Amino acid sequence: MLSAFKAKPIIEFKQRDKSKIESVLAYGDKILIGLQTGSLRIYRVNEHEDPDANGETNRDAEADQSVKPRLVDLLREEEKFSRKPIQQLAIIKEAGILISLSDAYVSIHDLQTYAFQERLEKTKGATSFAITSNIVEDESTGIKSIVSRLAVAVKRKIIFWSWQDMELSPDVSEMTLVAAVKCLTWATGTKLVAGMDPGFVLVDIESSAITDINRPSAAGEANGQAGARFGAVNSSGMSYVGMGGWIPKPMATNLSKDQLLLAKDVNTLCISTEGKALPKRQVPWAFVPEAIGYSYPYFLALQQPAKGLLEIRNPETLSLLQSISLPNAMLLHVPQPSISLAHAGKGFLVASDRCVWRMGALGYESQVEELVERCRFDEATSLLNMLEETLLKDKPGQIKDVLIRQAQYHFDRRSYRKSLELFTDAPATPQRVISLYPRSVAGDLSKHGEKDNDGESDHDGTIGESSLAESKATEQQSTPSRSMLGLFRDKTDAESASIRSSPKKGDNGDTGSIKGRVTETTSDKPLEGKDLLIAVNELCSFLVQRRTQVNDYLNRDGSPKKPFPALDEGQLDKPLPDFQFLIDYSPDEKDIDWEERLRDTASLVDTTLFRAYIIAKPSLVGSLVRLDNFLDPLVVRDKLFEMGRYTEIIDFLYQKRHHKEALELLQKFGKNDDSDVDQKEVPSALRGPRRTVAYLQQLPPELVDIVLQYAEWPLRVDSTLGMEIFLAESKNAEELPRHRVLQFLEPIEKSLAMQYLEHIINELDDLTPDFHQRLIELYLEQLKASPGQPGYIVDSEERTGTRQKLENFLQGSIQYNKTRTFKELPPDNPIFSESRALVLRAMGQHKQALSIYVFDLLSSEKAEDYCNTLYLSSLPTKASSTSTSFPRHQPPSSAPTARNDVTASSIYHTLLSLYLTPPPPHEPQWQPALGLLSRHGARLPASSVLDLVPASLPIKELEKYFRGRLRSGNSVTSEMRIVKSLRAVEKVKMDAELRVGDGHKSVGGGLNRRVVIREDDHCRVCHKRFGRSAIRVYPTNEVVHYGCYDRGNTTGDRAKRGW
């Protein structure tokens, strides 16, 4: 049991003294004893250092009995204080008076001389009274004063007196209840709880309201009993028939946090100061208490005198913490905080009929330590939460210490989930928790010796490929050498110094300010087997939460998300960062590099989580290494290599931006060059160039050197797949430096460079002239190549397709060098004839281009298409789109305009002249010429055509030409007549609108149009009244100032016209 209080008898009546104690009152250094004879004895308490009260007593030392100071001195005895037993005593310190209840009357005495002053006659038949003192602020003046109130229970009435400072108020009020009042307890300065046989009520003296205090209804309770008044005779379900009519007395006491506890028989109810029942279980009493009280921070219950037992309970958990045997004790007196603040929970008085005990409280740190030593951690935490911070050296630190020690207690007993939950709530540093695990999980931070690794081979088949035996082997074999981990080990040892030497830590360490330690009960059996799996699973949840908290303060690159405390000030002179609960540090340290400490913690958390996943959750390893993390590369690489998790190795190296190392491994796996790795263990996804191509596609353009360095072998193995690096529809591929990519592809294979150029020009619309010119040159190199030369195309269809690509490109692109390209086209090779014509067209030399079509290619259709294309391109867009809908060999129905006639006549006339007057040694071509005249004669001037036609040509052959010319002239004439008629109709319509309006009733029109301007109307532009200013009216009848017309909205119908 807890030793929160120690009973010390301070007043004991001698045997010859036949007096009996009826009431006790303590204030200041005085104790007043009311006797059964009506006498009042005044004692003075001699204050001296009590080592037990400070919690620092040496329990093995014995006090020197020869020099024993007197605890109290009897100052005086007022024998004629009252004629009857003094049942109750109280004081009003501000008024300097002593209140007593005796002979069923309440009397007032002087507090200094104890002389009788007045008997309150209205209190005849009084059974009890209650006093309260409070500071009240006057609403009108704002002046604060101390108001004391006296409430006296007289049968069914409650009579109230009040004192303001030292003045007794003449106003005396009273309230009548339904039954005789048995007890009174002030809830607040203006509210009073009254206990009666039928139950409890809350009385508000300001509003005179009486509120029944009802017990909460239980599930399944009858409607008639639900919400019944608490404390009623039948509320407990017990019957007192046959017990001599005895009814248990009601009792009430104040608790902390504006709560009160009501008790009747063995039933209790916790209520608020508003009289509402609170959800708290009943006190588990076996017997009806004699009295109840509250001494901060404990709830007190004094059992019946026959029991002589004082129970001390936690008011939050209602657990019994201490039982003190006090023979025949029947009175319990606790100084009220409103009267005496000096006790501060230091003690209270318990009295029997002949003895008074003073209850001395031990130091709170000692009480907490005793609870922890008895493994009552919840009670210790509850006690710390109830105590004010001013009463403790470091309240948060002590709560943290208790939670950590409770977590350690559960961990030692294999309650891992409960333990890790407490570590999280504390909160404990990751170093503190990780150090509890063996080296397979915690690495060098583990508190366990090397022997802990001996039993890590009991999980074959339990955790698959990552059993504990593999974890042990990884720890011993995957590390290249101990020297490589030397720096990391030294660094970890320095960071975990507070864990391994925790007694030297201060309040901020995991040990707090409590010196004692829970006795270690950990068995000699190491953490292994199923216990290790369960513990590691719980550790994963803890580390994931800590990982999330670390990421709230660190960016991906390890930089802080917000500034940390500066290093140029002392540790005690600056505030701690918000994440200090994640860092294991000593309060004596100065100039702490918080950023570095936080990064080290992040690395420890992620690396330990990785080890935990390896043991308990291998399927989550891949997700961890692919996310942003602070994993230790040395540990991760060696572990994954040992387990054959090559895919996770590549993902981890990519996340850590170790791209060269990852691509080297992919190249070895893809080309089967690694003799140390069994290819059967390598996943099929890593074989071949596909995984390398996918990796290179993810690299940003800034790493173009690495991309080009490792892209060659996929291109040589599978060029189609390898080209996806540069041709993929991704931002990375499109933003690669194109000149460098082109220089890289050409030495490997010209066709790859050609494919890349086609992609960036045709799909990405690259207008760089060098790329356009280079693509033409690559086309020409392939077409010019002879059999046996590099780049020669054997397949005729493929050669035809390449030539067609060249011609389409020459026709569609204008970014290449025309002169240079024309020189590179062989004039004596017929396959390049049309290409030369397209270049000449781009150069504007149409006659030479048509000569190639007519004399070299002997294709009148292509020559005519050439002219049609050029003619249509010279027309306006609308006309061009209309004309292109006609067949190639049919002229458009509408005649060309005069502006386009020059262009049309020049190109068609040039072709006609080549047909009829060709240069030697070519002969005239009559049939193509006549066909050109029949289809496009309307686009050729008659004078120039007739000059070209020889006199020997029969007129009949020109019939179609003349008909076309006549039809074209008639079409122009008819079009002009139609336009003239339409304009006449439009003129009539506009005249009608001008004269009579457009027919809308809502808007007046025509010459009769008018608007009304009232005096209050204003211009919508300048918001001024019109007055006599000139105005302008929109077609919508909206009026503005004449000068504001141009500044208004000039869009739509408003801008068309106005007057």
Side-chain angles (χ1 to χ4, degrees), residues 368-369 371-373 375-385 394-412 415-429 432-433 436 507 509-514 516-518 542 546:
V368 173
E369 178 59 29
L371 288 171
V372 172
E373 288 179 352
C375 300
R376 303 191 67 174
F377 301 102
D378 292 335
E379 297 297 336
T381 304
S382 177
L383 175 58
L384 289 170
N385 287 326
D394 179 22
K395 179 178 177 179
Q398 293 194 33
I399 294 176
K400 177 180 179 181
D401 175 75
V402 173
L403 291 175
I404 290 177
R405 292 167 68 179
Q406 184 180 5
Q408 181 70 56
Y409 174 84
H410 289 288
F411 192 91
D412 294 340
S415 298
Y416 302 113
R417 173 167 296 183
K418 178 65 175 177
S419 175
L420 270 297
E421 288 176 355
L422 290 170
F423 275 129
T424 302
D425 296 338
T429 61
R432 174 68 175 83
V433 179
L436 300 175
D507 297 340
D510 292 332
T511 60
S513 62
I514 300 175
R517 290 291 171 264
V518 179
F542 173 82
R546 287 294 183 263

Side-chain angles (χ1 to χ4, degrees), residues 1025-1031 1041:
R1025 294 184 180 181
F1026 292 105
R1028 299 179 178 273
S1029 302
I1031 61 172
H1041 284 112

